[in-house]
Each structure stands twice: as structure tokens, then as C-alpha cells.
């Protein structure tokens, strides 16, 4: 339907809600003449929101009455431009006992309420007296303003929860609440209906300004409707000589001109009138065109255009003066309609087009167009006289079980047109995904382990993640579902991650004062008992003796490979206090091959002195060794970092045909670590093959070499390392298709 209305446009003011209260439901519901009068008035004056005020007139157990109500609401929406339908209630129980069951009993959303308005005038003393016996006393609330507010707030929160759960809007009618009450309501209500009961439009803005400022104090944006009254004690007589849109225009224009920043928090959506019963029943002239069929047709076709009811008509082009005309040619057609009051208005154009082709058909699918092998989908063309699918079928529907792009050419008389293509994907069944881990499934506290799925089109992990890889640091069972299509998936085996126990945090004790003097030229620092020790000085004994000022740390490593680091202890010389202990970060792996390099960078300091003698914040390392850095403060005091070990593998180990996986502990376990005399290698093999075990020092020099033949399943081999000097080594397991490396400390 093409419609034009003779009314002042408020589009620039952001208006979109124009409503009125509807009373006395029991006197007109089911009376078609009365119903149509109400709805024609709403359409003729541009209203799009109806708020039922007398829901108590309806018997909610009477199916006939409920069906009449549903028919009225549906007609209002489908024929008269009503967008929202609301119900006014005084307590939450009315919603749960009547309105929600009614909504749930309707099969069409066009028949349902979508706004619930709470009207509870807790700010009016006379209303409190009325509420006392009806609500407050029975519910245990005091019969005063405080009790009325507490009851109203409780009921609105219940209503708001029901609206949220059932896809409805919550609305609160307000007169003069306090600042605190307004803030609570504005923080929760979907929309506030703000009373502006005035005799004219002259002060509707000033009357509402302070309450809008109260709303704005919560921040964000709040939706607000202005409520005016057409009762005789308010704007009843004024409306006889002024349009019903003028009060809102005045309000919106004043808010738009407001210089205070609070207006940015107010979304003035429109207005509401109380009530239809008292509104002057003037009608705005309308001009609409309805068509008997499609406005686009083949040559030789036609369509009948009909204007809405009036006293006179003038069509353009053509100049016909009848209510209906028959159109056979393309063009833009309008009609000028004169109503009984002598007011004339011209409709929006109805554009008629003709062509050598018909209207393109549309394709609908009976279900998902992506599916697993063995499934199918039915594609159906919109109705036509004949059909020709791209697969050669000539029926209106086809069943598709394979991937492809399908379209249909539909004919109607001498015209035909082709649809947009519909794409069908028959996904291949996915393979069971395999999870690989970036390290051992037995993780130390604070260690982040990355689990990665084999490739798929989509992923769903047991922890809810949908990426190919996840980073975890807690114990648990992890699996992943891999997708090849929306309905095709396979789930991996479970990977169990165990959280290891770290050793107790070591404590450093000093054998004497940590302040160095001529009578105390050195101090002995001793760690609490642990399995192995690694001092910031690179010493590996439990106790160290130092005569150098600085900050000292010790790291203790347990037999399971987890470690803990002590708090720093400062050794002071001549009253000099060392700066905080520096840390070293590497630009890449600390295991490099001959010809490669890694950049070591100290944390920020006033000065630097590396174990190489360099005095810059970063150094580039190409040779194996243990590196430390001193951090200096302005007083010349310094602290020494924990050591970092750089290992250089010989070029012969960098075989590009063999995959290198440092610390792949779930595939290779080496224990004990640190070790003294014997070292055990545990790994799994799926076939018998020749295995080579080699030990390298940190320079990449091979110091031991063992050849063996693996068995299918778990392999456990032990080598003798009793003749190796103390230090850091690389234990390598090599086969024809894999190379696994693990750092080992030999004590």
C-alpha cells in the first residue's frame, strides 16, 4: 500500500513512537464498527502505539474474549500501522497470571503484547491511601510513601525480569519521584513514560527538565516518552484549536536547543496521550493506493490501482476521477483524494513496470544447505507456470544430495526469469582430530601449555574455545571436536593435563652480616635444602661465599623439573644499596646452530655490565656459554641477574629433513634431571627402527653416542653419564623421521 498523510513531519526531531491510552475495553472489544473507528482514528492521526488501560475488563479465562482481543491486536498491526501494543498493570502478578499466559497461548506474534507498563503512583499521597488496602498491607509494606515506593520497585523489578525473559519491553509511568528513585528506575527500565500533565504546551519542557536531569545522572542513554492528558482539566479544550502533535514538537525543540550536557543522555523517542476517550476526533486526510496484483508484469498484463475512500479523486497521469483505474502501461501513478471536510492530499507514487521477462523466482530450502554425506535438502521454487532447473529437472521442487550451485528458470505465460543461485555443500566426513602439545602434559605451576588440533574447518574444545589452538595452565581433561561442515564433526581422544607440584620457595640465610666491612670482608649465603641449586652468580652449590656487593637469588629445581626462586637478598658494601635484580630476555630460542645468533636484552637500568664485558642494554650472542648482566644505579651499586645458558648445536644437527621439537616432553621423557650417574630415556614407538641417542655439551660438541633398536610400544633405555663433567648438556634422540631434544643438568 502506498500512503501519504497530511501532517507535520517530526522526522528531524527523532520521533518514532506516537501513542495513546485505550480505555473501556469491555464496551467496544468485538464490535467491528467501534474497533474500526478507533483504528481509523489511530491511522489517520499517525499513531503507532496503543496502550490498553482497562485490562480488568477482560476475562482471561474466557477463550472467546481472548480471541477477540487477539483479532483486534492483529488487525491493528497488519492493517492500521500499529507497531507496539502494551498493557498497563499495577503489580507483577497480573503479568505472570494473565498477560504472559495469554501471549504464550497465541501462535502469531502479531496477536501478542510487547510492552508492559507499570503504573503505581507512589509519589501521590491519595494514591498511597488507595494502595494501602489493595496492595501494601497484604504484602507487608507500610501504608506511606516509603512503603508504596518499596512495593512499586519490587514489582517493577519482577516485571522487568519477565519482560527480559520473554522478549518484551518494560515501561514505567512516572510523575515526581525523588532523585534516588529516578536513578534506580532509569538504571533498569527499557523506557520511561514521563508525565507532562499541563493545560497548554508552553511549559511542558520546563515541567519535565529536572526529572530528565535526574535520569541523566546515571550516565548512558535512557529512552523517554512524554505523556500528555486530553482530559478537560488539562489540554482537553486546548486541543480543539491546536494539533495533537504540537506539545511534543515544543518539548523536542526545547530539548534540542538545550545547552546543558544532560540532554545527551536523553533519547526522547516520542509521546503518549491519555486518553483516546477524550481526544478530539478530528481526522487527517490520507491518500493511499492499493494494487490488485504485482506492479511489475509482462507486456499484455495489467493491474488495478484503487484509492482509499474519499469524496473526489484525480489520478495522474491520465486525469481519471474514479476511485479505481486499470493500468496496462509502465509509469509512476499518483492520486489526489479529497475527504468529507474538503481537504485534499496527494498519495505517494505507485510505480508500474513492464518488461519482456517475468518476476525472478525465489528458492527456499527445506533445511540446512550444508550437510554430511548421506543427507539431502529439498529446494523449492516460488509458484510459477513452468520450471527448469540447472540440473534439468522441470518440477517445482528438487532433492539435492551433492554439492553444487542450483538455480531455476520460472515461466508465467510468455514471460520467464531466472532465480538467484542456491549453493549446496555436501561436506566430506571429517577425520578424527589429533591434539599436539607444545610441551609435556605434566606442567609446572605458572607454565602455559599450548594444545593444537590437526587442521579442520572449525573447532570446538571441551573448554568452549573455538580456535585451532588453546593455551592452558591448569589441570584437566581436554578434547576437541573438529568440523568439516556445520553438521559434520568428529571428536579427538582426551588429553589429560596434570599439574605438577613445585618445590618449596627456597630461603637464603647469611652466615654473618650482609654489610661488608673491613672486619667482615665476605659473607656465606646458604639456600634452604633442595635437589639442585642455581645461583644468580651461576654457582650450583647449596652455599656460596661472596665479597662483592649486589643482589643474590637462588633457584631450586625439583626432580620433576619444576623450580622455585627465592626472594632476593642484598649484600651491601660501604653503605651502598644494590638496585633491583635485572632480568634477561632472549629474542628467540636459547638453542641455536652454528652461524645463528640470539639477542639478549637486560631489563631497564641506569647502567649495564655483561659477563662479556659489554656495557649496552642488549648483546648479540653467537657462541655457547652462560651469560649474566649487572644492573647499576646512580650510586654505583649493582645487582647481577640470574644466568641464561646459550647452547650452540653443531651444523650437522640442523638436518632440515628431520623435524626438530625442543622440549617435546610428551613424546620423550628424560630422568632424573638433574642427574649424577645414570640417565633414563622413555619414549613410545609405533614400529621397530634404529634409534640413535647422543649427548652434546653446550658448545654443540658430541660427548656420547649410543645406537639401539626400538620396540613397538614403550621403550626405556638407560645410559651411563658418570664420566661426564658437571654442567648443562643436550640429550638428543634421533631416528630417520624425528629428532627430539631435552636439556639435562649433570651434577
Amino acid at each position: 500500500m502506498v500512503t501519504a498523510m497530511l501532517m507535520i513531519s517530526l522526522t528531524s526531531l527523532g520521533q518514532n513512537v506516537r501513542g495513546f491510552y485505550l480505555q473501556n475495553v469491555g464496551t467496544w472489544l468485538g464490535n467491528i464498527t467501534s474497533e474500526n473507528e478507533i483504528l481509523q482514528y489511530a491511522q489517520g492521526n499517525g499513531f503507532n502505539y496503543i496502550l490498553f488501560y482497562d485490562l480488568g475488563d477482560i476475562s482471561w479465562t474466557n477463550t472467546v474474549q481472548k480471541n477477540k482481543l487477539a483479532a483486534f491486536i492483529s488487525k491493528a498491526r497488519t492493517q492500521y500501522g500499529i507497531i507496539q501494543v502494551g498493557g498497563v498493570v499495577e503489580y507483577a502478578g497480573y503479568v505472570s497470571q494473565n498477560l504472559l499466559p495469554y501471549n504464550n497461548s497465541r501462535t502469531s506474534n502479531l496477536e501478542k503484547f510487547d510492552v508492559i507498563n507499570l503504573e503505581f503512583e507512589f509519589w501521590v499521597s491519595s494514591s498511597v491511601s488507595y494502595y494501602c488496602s489493595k496492595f501494601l498491607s497484604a504484602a507487608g509494606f507500610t501504608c506511606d510513601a516509603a512503603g508504596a515506593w518499596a512495593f512499586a520497585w519490587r514489582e517493577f523489578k519482577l516485571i522487568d525480569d519477565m519482560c527480559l525473559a520473554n522478549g518484551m519491553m518494560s515501561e514505567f509511568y512516572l510523575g515526581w519521584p525523588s532523585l534516588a528513585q529516578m536513578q534506580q528506575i532509569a538504571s533498569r527500565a527499557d523506557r520511561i513514560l514521563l508525565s507532562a500533565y499541563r493545560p497548554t504546551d508552553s511549559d511542558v519542557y520546563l515541567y519535565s527538565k529536572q526529572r530528565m536531569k535526574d535520569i541523566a545522572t546515571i550516565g548512558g542513554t535512557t529512552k523517554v516518552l512524554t505523556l500528555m492528558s486530553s482530559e478537560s482539566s488539562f489540554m482537553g479544550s486546548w486541543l480543539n484549536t491546536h494539533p495533537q502533535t504540537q506539545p511534543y514538537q515544543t518539548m523536542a525543540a526545547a530539548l534540542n536547543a538545550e545547552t546543558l550536557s544532560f540532554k545527551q543522555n536523553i533519547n526522547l523517542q516520542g509521546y503518549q496521550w491519555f486518553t483516546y476517550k477524550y481526544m478530539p476526533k478530528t481526522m487527517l486526510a490520507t491518500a493511499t493506493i492499493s494494487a490488485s496484483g504485482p506492479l511489475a508484469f509482462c507486456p499484455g498484463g495489467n493491474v488495478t490501482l484503487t484509492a482509499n475512500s474519499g469524496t473526489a479523486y484525480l489520478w495522474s497521469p491520465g486525469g481519471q476521477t474514479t476511485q479505481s483505474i486499470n493500468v496496462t502501461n509502465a509509469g509512476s501513478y499518483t492520486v489526489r483524494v479529497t475527504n468529507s471536510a474538503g481537504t485534499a492530499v496527494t498519495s505517494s507514487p505507485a510505480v508500474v513496470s513492464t518488461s519482456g521477462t517475468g518476476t525472478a523466482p525465489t528458492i527456499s530450502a527445506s533445511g540446512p544447505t550444508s550437510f554430511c554425506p548421506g543427507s539431502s535438502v529439498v529446494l523449492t521454487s516460488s509458484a510459477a507456470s513452468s520450471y527448469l532447473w540447472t540440473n534439468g529437472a522441470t518440477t517445482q521442487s528438487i532433492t539435492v544430495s551433492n554439492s553444487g550451485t542450483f538455480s531455476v528458470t520460472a515461466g508465467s505465460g510468455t514471460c520467464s526469469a531466472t532465480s538467484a543461485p542456491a549453493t549446496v555443500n555436501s561436506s566430506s566426513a571429517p577425520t578424527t582430530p589429533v591434539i599436539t602439545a607444545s610441551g609435556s602434559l605434566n606442567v609446572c605451576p605458572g607454565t602455559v601449555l599450548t594444545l593444537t588440533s590437526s587442521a579442520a574447518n572449525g573447532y570446538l574444545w571441551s573448554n568452549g574455545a573455538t580456535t585451532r589452538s588453546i593455551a592452558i595452565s591448569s589441570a584437566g581433561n581436554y578434547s576437541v571436536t573438529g568440523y568439516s561442515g556445520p553438521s559434520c564433526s568428529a571428536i579427538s581422544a582426551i588429553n589429560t593435563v596434570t599439574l605438577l607440584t613445585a618445590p618449596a620457595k627456597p630461603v637464603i640465610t647469611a652466615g654473618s652480616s650482609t654489610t661488608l666491612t673491613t672486619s667482615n670482608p665476605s659473607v656465606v649465603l646458604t639456600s634452604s635444602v633442595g635437589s639442585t641449586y642455581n645461583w644468580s652468580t651461576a654457582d650450583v652449590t647449596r652455599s656460596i661465599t661472596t665479597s662483592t656487593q649486589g643482589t643474590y637469588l637462588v633457584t631450586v629445581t625439583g626432580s620433576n623439573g619444576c623450580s622455585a626462586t627465592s626472594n632476593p637478598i642484598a649484600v651491601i658494601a660501604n653503605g651502598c644499596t644494590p638496585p633491583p635484580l635485572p632480568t634477561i630476555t632472549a629474542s628467540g630460542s636459547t638453542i641455536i646452530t652454528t652461524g645463528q645468533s640470539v639477542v639478549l636484552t637486560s631489563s631497564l637500568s641506569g647502567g649495564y655490565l655483561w659477563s662479556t664485558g659489554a656495557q649496552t642494554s642488549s648483546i648479540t650472542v653467537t657462541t655457547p656459554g652462560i651469560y649474566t648482566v649487572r644492573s647499576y644505579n646512580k650510586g654505583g651499586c649493582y645487582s647481577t641477574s640470574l644466568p641464561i645458558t646459550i647452547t650452540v648445536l653443531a651444523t650437522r644437527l640442523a638436518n632440515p629433513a628431520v623435524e626438530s621439537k625442543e622440549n617435546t616432553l610428551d613424546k620423550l621423557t628424560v630422568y632424573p634431571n638433574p642427574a649424577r650417574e645414570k640417565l633414563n630415556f622413555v619414549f613410545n614407538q609405533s614400529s621397530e627402527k634404529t634409534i640413535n641417542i647422543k649427548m652434546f655439551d653446550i658448545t654443540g660438541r658430541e660427548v656420547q653416542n649410543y645406537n639401539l633398536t626400538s620396540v613397538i610400544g614403550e621403550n626405556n633405555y638407560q645410559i651411563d653419564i658418570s664420566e661426564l663433567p658437571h654442567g648443562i648438556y643436550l640429550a638428543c634422540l634421533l631416528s630417520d623421521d624425528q629428532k627430539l631434544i631435552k636439556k639435562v643438568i649433570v651434577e
Side-chain angles (χ1 to χ4, degrees), residues 363-377:
I363 297 175
S364 59
S366 63
T369 55
S370 295
F371 44 79
C372 284
S375 298
S376 63
V377 65

Side-chain angles (χ1 to χ4, degrees), residues 413-437:
T414 60
C415 293
S416 64
T418 302
S419 69
T423 300
V424 175
N425 292 306
S426 177
S427 306
S428 58
T431 57
T432 300
V434 176
I435 298 175
T436 57

Side-chain angles (χ1 to χ4, degrees), residues 612-653:
T612 62
Q615 298 181 20
T616 54
S617 61
S618 298
I619 61 173
T620 300
V621 174
T622 59
T623 57
I626 300 173
Y627 296 84
T628 60
V629 64
R630 286 182 179 179
S631 170
Y632 286 84
N633 60 20
K634 293 182 179 180
C637 298
Y638 63 85
S639 294
T640 304
S641 69
L642 284 172
I644 185 171
T645 302
I646 302 299
T647 304
V648 180
L649 297 179
T651 305
R652 62 181 178 275
L653 285 179

Side-chain angles (χ1 to χ4, degrees), residues 276-507:
Y276 167 77
K277 177 179 179 180
Y278 303 113
M279 296 291 287
K281 299 305 184 285
T282 56
M283 295 287 289
L284 298 175
T286 63
T288 64
I289 299 176
S290 59
S292 63
L295 294 177
F297 45 81
C298 293
N302 65 84
V303 66
T304 298
L305 303 181
T306 301
N308 61 296
S309 180
T311 59
Y313 313 92
L314 179 62
W315 289 88
S316 177
Q320 299 96 323
T321 57
T322 54
Q323 186 176 0
S324 298
I325 61 173
N326 185 263
V327 175
T328 58
N329 298 318
S332 179
Y333 295 83
T334 60
V335 64
R336 184 173 180 82
V337 178
T338 303
N339 67 6
S340 57
T343 303
V345 64
T346 301
S347 72
S348 297
V351 179
V352 176
S353 62
T354 62
S355 65
T357 59
T359 302
T362 58
I363 297 175
S364 59
S366 63
T369 55
S370 295
F371 44 79
C372 284
S375 298
S376 63
V377 65
V378 177
L379 302 181
T380 301
S381 169
S382 53
S385 299
S386 62
Y387 313 92
L388 178 60
W389 293 84
T390 48
N391 66 352
T394 57
T395 53
Q396 185 175 1
S397 299
I398 59 173
T399 300
V400 177
S401 58
N402 58 295
S403 297
T405 300
F406 301 85
S407 59
V408 62
T409 298
S412 179
T414 60
C415 293
S416 64
T418 302
S419 69
T423 300
V424 175
N425 292 306
S426 177
S427 306
S428 58
T431 57
T432 300
V434 176
I435 298 175
T436 57
S438 61
S440 173
L441 295 178
N442 300 319
V443 298
C444 294
T447 300
V448 176
L449 180 69
T450 300
L451 300 181
T452 301
S453 170
S454 52
N457 290 336
Y459 312 90
L460 178 61
W461 290 84
S462 51
N463 66 353
T466 56
T467 52
R468 183 176 180 183
S469 297
I470 59 173
I472 58 174
S473 58
S474 58
N477 296 323
Y478 296 88
S479 60
V480 64
T481 299
Y483 290 85
S484 62
S487 304
C488 293
S489 63
I491 189 168
S492 70
I494 293 176
N495 283 240
T496 300
V497 176
T498 303
L499 191 64
L500 300 175
T501 302
K505 185 175 184 177
V507 177

Side-chain angles (χ1 to χ4, degrees), residues 1-263:
M1 179 176 288
V2 183
T3 305
M5 290 190 177
L6 182 63
M7 60 187 296
I8 298 172
S9 173
L10 299 178
T11 303
S12 61
L13 301 177
Q15 178 195 23
N16 53 36
V17 179
R18 304 174 296 279
F20 60 74
Y21 280 72
L22 194 53
Q23 289 179 277
N24 308 120
V25 179
T27 64
W28 54 262
L29 185 63
N31 184 315
I32 301 303
T33 300
S34 298
E35 288 184 355
N36 289 346
E37 286 178 357
I38 294 170
L39 295 175
Q40 287 167 5
Y41 172 80
Q43 183 184 59
N45 288 279
F47 288 102
N48 58 20
Y49 178 26
I50 290 178
L51 191 57
F52 282 82
Y53 192 62
D54 289 339
L55 292 174
D57 286 358
I58 298 174
S59 172
W60 297 101
T61 59
N62 187 316
T63 301
V64 173
Q65 279 200 346
K66 289 192 292 184
N67 288 343
K68 290 178 180 179
L69 175 64
F72 175 80
I73 294 175
S74 178
K75 178 168 59 176
R77 283 196 166 107
T78 58
Q79 299 179 37
Y80 292 94
I82 299 302
I83 297 173
Q84 290 185 330
V85 176
V88 177
V89 299
E90 293 180 304
Y91 64 103
Y94 197 88
V95 180
S96 60
Q97 296 164 19
N98 299 313
L99 298 189
L100 280 183
Y102 165 79
N103 268 12
N104 292 335
S105 70
R106 311 320 298 177
T107 58
S108 171
N109 289 332
L110 295 173
E111 302 172 343
K112 298 179 181 181
F113 290 92
D114 51 11
V115 180
I116 303 298
N117 174 291
L118 177 65
E119 180 169 321
F120 202 90
E121 296 178 320
F122 55 83
W123 59 88
V124 180
S125 57
S126 60
S127 295
V128 174
S129 299
Y130 162 75
Y131 294 144
C132 181
S133 59
K134 189 174 182 180
F135 297 111
L136 303 181
S137 296
F141 290 84
T142 56
C143 290
D144 53 20
W149 157 248
F151 179 83
W153 179 236
R154 185 191 75 174
E155 297 303 293
F156 181 71
K157 289 190 291 183
L158 293 172
I159 290 170
D160 187 54
D161 287 340
M162 285 186 282
C163 286
L164 180 63
N166 291 276
M168 296 188 293
M169 173 179 284
S170 66
E171 187 174 81
F172 208 137
Y173 159 67
L174 290 174
W176 288 92
S178 67
L179 171 61
Q181 292 166 349
M182 182 67 87
Q183 288 173 332
Q184 285 183 260
I185 294 168
S187 68
R188 186 139 185 175
D190 293 329
R191 188 165 68 198
I192 292 177
L193 193 53
L194 205 58
S195 172
Y197 276 28
R198 311 304 297 150
T200 72
D201 70 328
S202 61
D203 64 344
V204 289
Y205 177 67
L206 292 178
Y207 187 78
S208 304
K209 181 176 179 179
Q210 182 57 50
R211 287 169 294 159
M212 289 193 289
K213 290 173 68 176
D214 290 348
I215 291 172
T217 60
I218 69 166
T221 302
T222 301
K223 297 175 182 177
V224 174
L225 297 183
T226 296
L227 174 62
M228 287 82 65
S229 174
S230 61
E231 295 169 285
S232 59
S233 56
F234 295 103
M235 290 188 184
S237 60
W238 183 86
L239 280 173
N240 290 327
T241 56
H242 297 82
Q244 56 92 0
T245 57
Q246 184 170 325
Y248 176 75
Q249 287 179 299
T250 302
M251 168 73 77
L255 181 61
N256 188 53
E258 178 61 66
T259 59
L260 296 180
S261 61
F262 79 87
K263 75 173 184 180

